Amino acid sequence: MSSVLGAMRRTLLSCTTMVQGGVVAAVSGICPANAREMTLMETARAALAGLHRQEAAALTVSASVLGFSVVAAILLMRTRVRASAVEAKLRVENQLLQNESDRYRALLFAEPQILISWVAGGDRPEISGDIALLIPQGNQNYAQQRVLAFGTWLHPEQALEMDRAVESLRESGEGFLLNLTTAAGRSIEAMGRAIGGQAIVRIRELSGLRKELAEMSIRHRHLAEETDALRAFAAAIPQPIWARRANGTLSFVNPAYARAAEAGSPNEAIEQNIELLESAERAEMEQKLAQGQAFSARMPVAIGGRRRIFDVYALNVGEGSAGIAIDSSEAAELAAALQRMTDAHRRMLDQLSSGVAVFDANKRLTFYNDSYRRLWDLDPAFLDSEPDDSSVLERLRASRKISEQPDFRAWKNKLHEAYRAVEPAKDTWYLPDGRAISIVTTPNPEGGVTYLFDDVTESLKLQRQNDGLMRVQRETLDNLAEAVAVFGGNGRARLFNPPFARMWKLAPEALAEQPHIETIEQWCRPLYDDNEAWQALRASITSIDNRSSVQLRMERKDGSVLDCMTIPLPDGATMLTFQDVTDSVNVERALRERNEALETADQMKVDFVHHVSYELRSPLTTIIGFAHFLNDPATGPLTYKQSEYLGYITTSTNALLAIINNILDLATIDAGAMTLDLGPVDLRKTVEEATAGLQDRLARDNIHLDVNISPAIGHFIADERRVVQVLYNLLANAIGFSPQGGTIVISARRSHNSIVFSVADSGPGIPPEVQDKVFDWFESRANGSRHRGAGLGLSLVRSFVELHGGTVRVDSVPGRGTVVTCEFPADQTAHRSAAE
């Protein structure tokens, strides 16, 4: 076995040697060898024939691995040979490309220039070329960074333009070509292109013809921009503009010219040579231009059938001429209006009571009004001669119209300083005749001075009187018991009296500094610190729009009570007053407690009356029942006196029962326990029911009842029984106060959503001081009445009407009768129950 393995090893080494020598020619993996080796192979086959099965399997695996290794080694060697050939070929091609690149680079940089390239999607640029063209010699990396900082070697506007162009090139591949001038004064050309997936910018210096061409291109662009701007301005300007050739024909007009000349368009005006000016005006203008002079004149032009005034300006430009017409119609109208206004002002100044004199820049009188002449009693002829300011003063001095001055020349020079001043000045002259003249000198914008003279003699007198009144007012405030302080519109204390300082324990010296209301509030808070009250006071004092009066009651920590009030004054100030009402409040509290005790007693009285009424009703009903029983003939005959006495008993008990029922009704309403039996009410029928029980009284007193009910009143929703009670009580009250033979008028009508009826009598009327009490319980006054009731009728009327959601009103004039008006709502949906 070992001999076989040795033979295989030698065979393998032999095959490896042959492959390295370049002799490889095998398809099945067996190498031809010399005769000795063949003998060894035969020996190996013979040895293999004697192997058992396991040794044969191991030998097969080894042979397979050996075969794979041999094949792989052969393929590897072949690949290495092929790669060596390709590498040699690429080296040759690379050398050729490098030579070609060097030639192109030499050709590219034959003149000074810089190339900047960005790979698509990359942010790092590659910069090559002569950087010294833009950046002085220095650190190479730093110089390359400065190349991309365009603002370091370009003017700001051009640097911004370069930034935008490069950004557009890198983002969208948009090329550009710019002619720029560096900060050092060099003319350069920057060109950007997108080539082969790269953004490339080339910067090179311009020289020779290229520089001249670039400069001419820049000038052409500037001239084109100026031309476009001028054409846009000419097209937008509302004044007609035109240009003419040397032969006088139009070469340019703007739209305003076309509109003024009534041409369809500027081109039409040029083609048809439509003229704006009349022939005479054009001839005058051409003559002036032919003399080499500029032309300007104000001419009338008819536009659209209307006559307009234009200021025409024309001058020679090159071989032709140009002109413009400015519409001055409004200016002419304004000048005329200004003149009319000036005349009106002069007429108005003539009507002033103040003396007015206007002197021009040469100090000569140009205007005076009649008040000025009468004030100084000057001759109109003298004033109309336009004298100078000094002559007027000399004449006034000579006639002793003005006070004598120690140095008249210096005084006059000081007065004439107004001609050089910029602000008005005011002075007062005291004349020899006792008058006081206020003089205001106002510099005129066009030069000169306007003097305004006012006789203030009476004003000064009134001022002295006002000062006296102010002193009296001050003394009055100082001696008032109330504390008073006056605050200005800025919220600062302008005035105060000693009681104010004493009441709030403040130092008069501190108040004299005119502190703000907020400062005074802080000083007063130890005695009274209600935030809402102080906020209301601050708002009332410092408010501008809502200047309303505020009334407060302050209970301070020291036990005192103050009534506070703010009063807005006409001059924008606010007066704040404090009054110590501690004693009054204490008395008021005592009176209030006593009143509450009286109200309690009154309620006890009402409760007692209610209780007694309930207790009296049962026995009274029994008495009435037995009286009716005795009056029945079935019980036996009665004597005349017995029948008379029984009638008295029945009448008195019925009246007493009515009073008790009224009291119980009022008590039920007060308790909120009464409900209304609502239904449709026929007012005519209701009136008949109410008057049925009063016919005997009407007949006995010979009183006429006049019923005036509107036919269209219809029905309304209410408690019919209570409405009858209301009418009965009103009619009974009217009968009681009406004289014999009088008339009672009951009327009813529908008004919007309510039913209104009234009862009027011709009685003595109700005094004004009693009218507010007629609806109170047990309020009964004779006042000329023949019948004095319990004083519950009108109380019951008001309670029933208000229970329906209505109102009652009494109108009475003493001696002319009384009218009681009741108004019921027609819709009782919202008043179903007295408890609600």
Side-chain angles (χ1 to χ4, degrees):
M1 183 66 183
S2 58
S3 61
V4 173
L5 293 176
M8 292 176 67
R9 181 179 180 185
R10 285 192 299 274
T11 303
L12 179 61
L13 291 174
S14 174
C15 290
T16 301
T17 304
M18 291 177 65
V19 170
Q20 289 178 349
V23 184
V24 180
V27 175
S28 62
I30 302 177
C31 306
N34 51 26
R36 179 174 172 272
E37 291 174 345
M38 290 297 295
T39 302
L40 290 174
M41 292 296 294
E42 292 176 357
T43 303
R45 281 196 300 269
L48 290 173
L51 296 175
H52 54 80
R53 181 179 298 176
Q54 292 182 349
E55 291 175 344
L59 182 60
T60 303
V61 172
S62 300
S64 299
V65 172
L66 179 61
F68 177 78
S69 299
V70 171
V71 173
I74 294 170
L75 293 177
L76 176 62
M77 294 307 297
R78 293 182 64 184
T79 300
R80 290 184 61 183
V81 171
R82 190 181 296 111
S84 298
V86 171
E87 181 180 1
K89 181 180 179 181
L90 291 177
R91 287 182 181 277
V92 174
E93 292 179 356
N94 183 49
Q95 185 62 38
L96 294 175
L97 290 175
Q98 185 64 39
N99 295 336
E100 187 175 0
S101 175
D102 291 341
R103 287 195 303 271
Y104 286 157
R105 185 177 183 84
L107 179 63
L108 184 63
F109 293 106
E111 58 178 339
Q113 58 182 339
I114 298 174
L115 290 179
I116 308 172
S117 62
W118 289 269
V119 179
D123 291 331
R124 186 177 183 83
E126 181 179 347
I127 302 174
S128 59
D130 187 5
I131 299 177
L133 174 65
L134 304 177
I135 309 299
Q137 292 293 339
N139 185 288
Q140 185 70 12
N141 293 332
Y142 177 70
Q144 289 188 354
Q145 294 176 1
R146 289 188 61 188
V147 169
L148 295 178
F150 303 126
T152 60
W153 51 273
L154 281 176
H155 297 291
E157 297 82 2
Q158 295 183 347
L160 180 61
E161 184 180 8
M162 186 72 175
D163 278 331
R164 292 174 178 172
V166 171
E167 183 178 358
S168 299
L169 173 64
R170 294 183 60 193
E171 291 181 357
S172 58
E174 182 179 348
F176 63 88
L177 178 62
L178 301 176
N179 293 321
L180 307 172
T181 302
T182 66
R186 289 187 174 185
S187 297
I188 61 173
E189 178 187 72
M191 180 173 65
R193 294 289 184 272
I195 302 174
Q198 290 186 339
I200 300 176
V201 176
R202 182 181 71 175
I203 302 174
R204 64 179 177 177
E205 184 176 12
L206 297 176
S207 60
L209 292 176
R210 219 169 19 223
K211 179 178 180 181
E212 293 179 2
L213 180 61
E215 292 175 350
M216 290 179 65
S217 176
I218 293 174
R219 286 197 300 271
H220 178 268
R221 186 174 68 250
H222 290 167
L223 290 174
E225 292 174 354
E226 292 178 1
T227 302
D228 292 341
L230 290 174
R231 285 186 174 274
F233 175 76
I237 194 171
Q239 284 79 22
I241 298 177
W242 67 90
R244 296 181 183 276
R245 302 182 182 89
N247 59 0
T249 59
L250 293 172
S251 60
F252 169 80
V253 297
N254 66 343
Y257 182 98
R259 290 192 299 270
E262 300 180 2
S265 64
N267 291 333
E268 180 181 344
I270 295 173
E271 292 173 0
Q272 300 182 13
N273 202 43
I274 299 176
E275 297 291 349
L276 176 65
L277 303 177
E278 298 294 335
S279 57
E281 285 80 6
R282 290 203 312 275
E284 182 182 354
M285 180 177 64
E286 292 172 358
Q287 181 180 0
K288 199 77 171 179
L289 294 175
Q291 298 173 0
Q293 300 177 4
F295 174 78
S296 63
R298 176 164 292 184
M299 299 179 175
V301 179
I303 298 177
R306 297 180 57 188
R307 185 175 181 273
R308 308 285 294 178
I309 303 298
F310 281 84
D311 287 333
V312 180
Y313 301 92
L315 71 161
N316 292 316
V317 178
E319 296 182 357
S321 62
I324 183 173
I326 300 175
D327 191 346
S328 60
S329 302
E330 294 182 1
E333 292 175 0
L334 288 175
L338 180 61
Q339 184 60 40
R340 290 193 299 270
M341 186 181 297
T342 302
D343 296 338
H345 286 173
R346 288 177 178 272
R347 289 192 298 270
M348 180 190 67
L349 292 176
D350 279 334
Q351 304 302 320
L352 293 179
S353 59
S354 302
V356 179
V358 180
F359 291 83
D360 61 14
N362 297 323
K363 301 182 181 179
R364 303 198 71 84
L365 181 64
T366 59
F367 171 79
Y368 68 93
N369 63 355
D370 191 58
S371 298
Y372 175 80
R373 183 193 62 78
R374 287 187 281 103
L375 176 66
W376 299 112
D377 192 21
L378 294 172
D379 184 10
F382 168 73
L383 296 175
D384 292 340
S385 64
E386 298 184 357
D388 59 15
D389 200 344
S390 297
S391 300
V392 175
L393 292 176
E394 291 289 348
R395 176 161 294 203
L396 293 177
R397 179 190 180 195
S399 58
R400 300 187 61 80
K401 299 291 179 60
I402 58 177
S403 300
E404 191 64 40
Q405 302 295 328
D407 189 346
F408 181 77
R409 183 183 298 275
W411 176 81
K412 183 174 64 175
N413 291 337
K414 183 179 180 180
L415 180 64
H416 287 170
E417 289 178 357
Y419 288 91
R420 299 183 297 275
V422 294
E423 296 293 336
K426 186 175 181 180
D427 194 8
T428 302
W429 292 357
Y430 296 95
L431 306 185
D433 58 5
R435 291 182 298 168
I437 304 297
S438 172
I439 174 175
V440 178
T441 57
T442 304
N444 298 328
E446 66 277 6
V449 172
T450 298
Y451 290 99
L452 182 64
F453 298 93
D454 277 309
D455 190 342
V456 296
T457 307
E458 191 66 24
S459 300
L460 293 178
K461 180 181 178 182
L462 293 176
Q463 184 178 357
R464 288 192 294 269
Q465 293 176 355
N466 182 66
D467 292 341
L469 291 175
M470 290 296 293
R471 288 193 296 270
V472 171
Q473 182 186 28
R474 180 69 191 187
E475 291 297 328
T476 303
L477 288 176
D478 288 348
N479 291 280
L480 285 176
E482 291 83 358
V484 179
V486 178
F487 292 83
N490 58 357
R492 294 188 172 275
R494 296 194 320 197
L495 184 65
F496 67 94
N497 64 349
F500 179 81
R502 291 195 299 269
M503 183 175 291
W504 291 101
K505 300 179 182 179
L506 302 176
E509 296 78 9
L511 292 175
E513 297 295 330
Q514 297 189 353
H516 196 270
I517 178 62
E518 294 181 353
T519 304
I520 295 178
E521 174 188 343
Q522 297 301 321
W523 293 345
C524 298
R525 276 189 177 273
L527 290 175
Y528 185 73
D529 59 355
D530 189 329
N531 291 327
E532 294 184 359
W534 285 115
Q535 183 177 359
L537 291 179
R538 286 199 311 272
S540 178
I541 292 172
T542 59
S543 177
I544 297 177
D545 298 329
N546 185 17
R547 301 186 67 242
S548 58
S549 178
V550 174
Q551 295 184 2
L552 299 172
R553 172 157 289 185
M554 298 179 173
E555 296 186 7
R556 301 197 301 181
K557 296 179 180 180
D558 58 1
S560 61
V561 181
L562 306 180
D563 275 348
C564 170
M565 178 183 292
T566 62
I567 303 173
L569 300 179
D571 61 349
T574 303
M575 183 171 68
L576 177 63
T577 64
F578 296 94
Q579 185 177 8
D580 191 340
V581 293
T582 306
D583 296 338
S584 301
V585 169
N586 292 334
V587 173
E588 182 182 352
R589 288 172 180 168
L591 291 175
R592 186 180 296 109
E593 293 173 356
R594 183 176 179 182
N595 183 63
E596 291 174 355
L598 291 175
E599 290 180 352
T600 303
D602 184 66
Q603 185 62 37
M604 292 175 63
K605 179 188 73 173
V606 173
D607 294 340
F608 173 75
V609 171
H610 293 171
H611 181 71
V612 170
S613 298
Y614 277 109
E615 295 298 329
L616 289 176
R617 189 173 187 178
S618 296
L620 186 61
T621 304
T622 302
I623 295 172
I624 293 173
F626 279 107
H628 283 292
F629 178 74
L630 290 174
N631 199 28
D632 190 352
T635 60
L638 297 175
T639 64
Y640 176 78
K641 283 293 183 179
Q642 289 175 338
S643 297
E644 183 180 359
Y645 293 157
L646 189 59
Y648 292 155
I649 292 173
T650 301
T651 302
S652 298
T653 54
N654 285 335
L656 183 58
L657 181 61
I659 293 173
I660 292 174
N661 288 335
N662 288 341
I663 293 175
L664 292 177
D665 285 341
L666 290 172
T668 304
I669 294 173
D670 283 348
M674 177 173 284
T675 58
L676 298 175
D677 184 13
L678 299 176
V681 175
D682 185 349
L683 195 58
R684 290 183 179 274
K685 179 182 176 183
T686 304
V687 172
E688 292 175 358
E689 293 180 3
T691 58
L694 297 171
Q695 292 297 330
D696 56 342
R697 292 181 60 184
L698 291 171
R700 183 177 65 246
D701 295 334
N702 192 25
I703 296 175
H704 175 68
L705 179 63
D706 184 5
V707 179
N708 183 14
I709 300 178
S710 172
I713 193 169
H715 294 77
F716 72 101
I717 305 300
D719 188 332
E720 184 175 2
R721 177 167 167 261
R722 301 306 180 186
V723 174
V724 171
Q725 282 185 264
V726 169
L727 290 173
Y728 179 87
N729 282 288
L730 290 177
L731 289 172
N733 189 72
I735 292 171
F737 284 93
S738 294
Q740 292 187 354
T743 301
I744 297 175
V745 179
I746 178 170
S747 59
R749 59 186 174 84
R750 181 180 292 271
S751 175
H752 300 294
N753 296 324
S754 61
I755 302 298
V756 181
F757 63 82
S758 61
V759 176
D761 62 52
S762 56
I766 304 174
E769 65 274 7
V770 181
Q771 291 183 11
D772 293 337
K773 301 179 181 179
V774 294
F775 294 106
D776 295 343
W777 287 24
F778 305 109
E779 185 65 31
S780 177
R781 296 175 182 269
N783 196 29
S785 172
R786 296 181 306 279
H787 172 72
R788 179 94 176 250
L792 297 174
L794 291 181
S795 301
L796 202 62
V797 168
R798 183 176 66 176
S799 297
F800 282 146
V801 173
E802 291 181 351
L803 191 61
H804 282 80
T807 58
V808 181
R809 185 178 73 252
V810 173
D811 298 312
S812 180
V813 178
R816 297 185 181 180
T818 302
V819 179
V820 181
T821 304
C822 299
E823 184 175 353
F824 286 84
D827 183 10
Q828 288 291 330
T829 304
H831 306 282
R832 292 292 182 182
S833 171
E836 296 177 354

